[in-house]
Amino acid sequence: MLIASAKDLIVLYLGLELMALSTYILVGITREHPTSNEAAIKYFLLGGFSSAFLLYGTSMVYGLTGTTQIPAIASYIAEAGFRETRCSCSR
């Protein structure tokens, strides 16, 4: 619900992290199984790295547009005239 209603990149990030936190717990809930513990650690590390990349991308978007609000970012991109580039290579 938090992710679906997000109008800001920070709220979107918080929703993703809350969702990921619950899945980390669900993966590692059975302490007596060593595979469960290993999976939880691997999932936590992967989530940490992906979270860092997402925050880096968010900081790049903020640096370009000056805002983290998704509608304002969309209007900035529309006003700046960013277009899809097509490959001009010959086939």
Side-chain angles (χ1 to χ4, degrees):
M1 297 280 296
L2 192 61
I3 294 171
S5 65
K7 290 183 176 56
D8 196 311
L9 292 177
I10 304 301
V11 176
L12 181 75
Y13 172 74
L14 287 175
L16 283 170
E17 286 302 308
L18 284 173
M19 181 188 67
L21 185 63
S22 63
T23 54
Y24 301 152
I25 293 169
L26 284 174
V27 168
I29 196 88
T30 55
R31 292 184 179 181
E32 59 273 356
H33 297 289
T35 55
S36 175
N37 294 332
E38 179 185 0
I41 290 171
K42 286 181 181 179
Y43 193 52
F44 178 73
L45 290 175
L46 180 67
F49 286 125
S50 63
S51 177
F53 282 122
L54 180 65
L55 284 177
Y56 181 70
T58 301
S59 70
M60 293 299 231
V61 169
Y62 178 74
L64 177 67
T65 61
T67 185
T68 58
Q69 295 180 354
I70 295 172
I73 293 169
S75 67
Y76 178 84
I77 290 172
E79 289 173 8
F82 292 125
R83 294 187 180 173
E84 179 182 337
T85 58
R86 298 187 186 240
C87 179
S88 62
C89 56
S90 62
R91 294 185 185 210

